[in-house]
């Protein structure tokens, strides 16, 4: 089975901190995605990557950046965390048959 | 996504059938998916249907696609308490869309004994 692993299930960070969320997939998928999930808003795409060192902005990229130095790893970076970035963050990789999601990282910024 | 709409909540009694509905605006979607999210977990792919199909059945799950009305539904037969979750429909575009999906806001399904 394809596995997408997010390094942390829960994180608590302080306002202004730089935060790294890590995601690793083991099926050699080219496309990887970062979403945030908020109640009533569903999933909103932050950034995605279709190849190593390639990235594209999604619908809500402000306040975030990403890094993809290796095919299997896609990192989401909050340059200066703010309380409105408190959310569930979901990483996914894709094949034509759909996405495989990680278990999510619930980030709280205090 | 604002272009994919779902009702937010559905309550169903154990043993009954559940029907979760999804409407969309983008008719270029080639794959249409249903995902399930249990509390505290990521999304799990339940099933998908190609846009050239009208129906797909997989054990207790039946997916219906009405392309004319841009309506997708998921029917769960003999609903169990383990089916309590949030269900998302998602639409995948043509192959040049980088595999991006448009998600609905999700339908919270609560199964009561």
């Amino acid at each position: 089975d394809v596995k997408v692993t997010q390094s942390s299930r829960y994180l608590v960070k302080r306002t202004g901190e730089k935060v790294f969320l890590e995601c690793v997939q083991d099926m050699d998928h080219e496309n990887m995605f970062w979403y945030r999930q908020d109640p009533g808003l569903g999933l909103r795409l932050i950034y995605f990557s279709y190849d190593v060192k390639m990235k594209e902005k999604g619908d809500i990229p402000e306040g975030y950046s990403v890094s993809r130095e290796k095919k299997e790893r896609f990192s989401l970076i909050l340059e200066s965390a703010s309380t409105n970035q408190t959310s569930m963050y979901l990483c996914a990789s894709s094949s034509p048959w759909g996405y495989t999601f990680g278990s999510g990282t619930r980030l709280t910024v205090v | 996504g604002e272009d994919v709409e779902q009702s937010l909540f559905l309550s169903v009694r154990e043993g009954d059938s559940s029907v979760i509905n999804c409407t969309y605006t983008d008719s270029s979607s080639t794959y249409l998916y249903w995902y399930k999210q249990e509390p505290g977990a990521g999304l799990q792919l339940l099933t998908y249907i190609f846009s050239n199909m009208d129906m797909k059945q997989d054990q207790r799950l039946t997916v219906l696609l009405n392309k004319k009305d841009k309506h997708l539904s998921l029917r769960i037969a003999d609903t169990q308490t383990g089916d309590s979750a949030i269900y998302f429909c998602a639409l995948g575009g043509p192959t040049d869309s980088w595999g991006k999906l448009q998600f609905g806001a999700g339908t919270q399904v609560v199964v009561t004994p």
Side-chain angles (χ1 to χ4, degrees):
Chain A
D1 280 352
V2 177
K3 274 198 177 167
V4 177
T5 303
Q6 294 184 234
S7 54
S8 304
R9 290 297 303 272
Y10 300 95
L11 276 179
V12 180
K13 295 292 181 180
R14 294 195 179 277
T15 301
E17 277 193 76
K18 190 169 186 175
V19 181
F20 292 85
L21 303 183
E22 305 289 343
C23 175
V24 177
Q25 53 100 356
D26 67 358
M27 275 300 288
D28 205 34
H29 287 165
E30 292 181 348
N31 297 342
M32 295 186 74
F33 305 82
W34 275 106
Y35 286 86
R36 65 177 282 176
Q37 181 183 11
D38 300 288
L41 297 178
L43 275 70
R44 293 182 290 168
L45 181 63
I46 305 171
Y47 267 96
F48 66 101
S49 168
Y50 52 90
D51 203 349
V52 174
K53 297 191 186 296
M54 306 302 287
K55 60 186 179 184
E56 292 286 338
K57 293 180 180 179
D59 300 318
I60 52 163
E62 296 79 18
Y64 303 94
S65 63
V66 289
S67 172
R68 193 158 180 210
E69 296 297 319
K70 293 185 178 181
K71 193 173 187 179
E72 66 270 19
R73 186 179 297 270
F74 191 36
S75 303
L76 179 69
I77 304 156
L78 286 67
E79 297 290 344
S80 177
S82 64
T83 54
N84 64 12
Q85 292 178 310
T86 291
S87 187
M88 169 73 97
Y89 289 87
L90 292 166
C91 173
S93 68
S94 75
S95 72
W97 321 120
Y99 283 16
T100 299
F101 281 89
S103 299
T105 297
R106 185 164 292 282
L107 173 67
T108 303
V109 183
V110 298
Chain B
E2 58 191 276
D3 297 324
V4 182
E5 292 192 0
Q6 301 178 239
S7 55
L8 292 183
F9 185 80
L10 175 67
S11 180
V12 62
R13 294 183 69 168
E14 191 174 12
D16 288 352
S17 292
S18 312
V19 179
I20 307 165
N21 294 302
C22 175
T23 58
Y24 58 93
T25 56
D26 184 358
S27 59
S28 68
S29 302
T30 51
Y31 296 87
L32 300 97
Y33 304 88
W34 283 103
Y35 286 86
K36 175 183 180 183
Q37 185 182 35
E38 296 179 355
L43 278 68
Q44 168 196 358
L45 178 64
L46 276 182
T47 187
Y48 63 90
I49 188 169
F50 295 113
S51 58
N52 62 357
M53 298 169 65
D54 298 323
M55 186 182 85
K56 180 179 180 182
Q57 188 149 3
D58 184 0
Q59 300 182 335
R60 293 192 297 122
L61 304 179
T62 302
V63 179
L64 295 177
L65 175 60
N66 182 328
K67 290 184 286 293
K68 175 175 171 289
D69 293 339
K70 297 181 184 175
H71 182 265
L72 180 72
S73 67
L74 174 69
R75 177 176 180 270
I76 305 173
D78 186 25
T79 309
Q80 303 298 307
T81 54
D83 295 323
S84 291
I86 303 175
Y87 291 81
F88 292 89
C89 68
L91 277 59
T95 53
D96 63 352
S97 63
W98 307 115
K100 288 190 294 181
L101 298 184
Q102 284 182 284
F103 285 86
T107 300
Q108 173 86 53
V109 173
V110 174
V111 181
T112 56

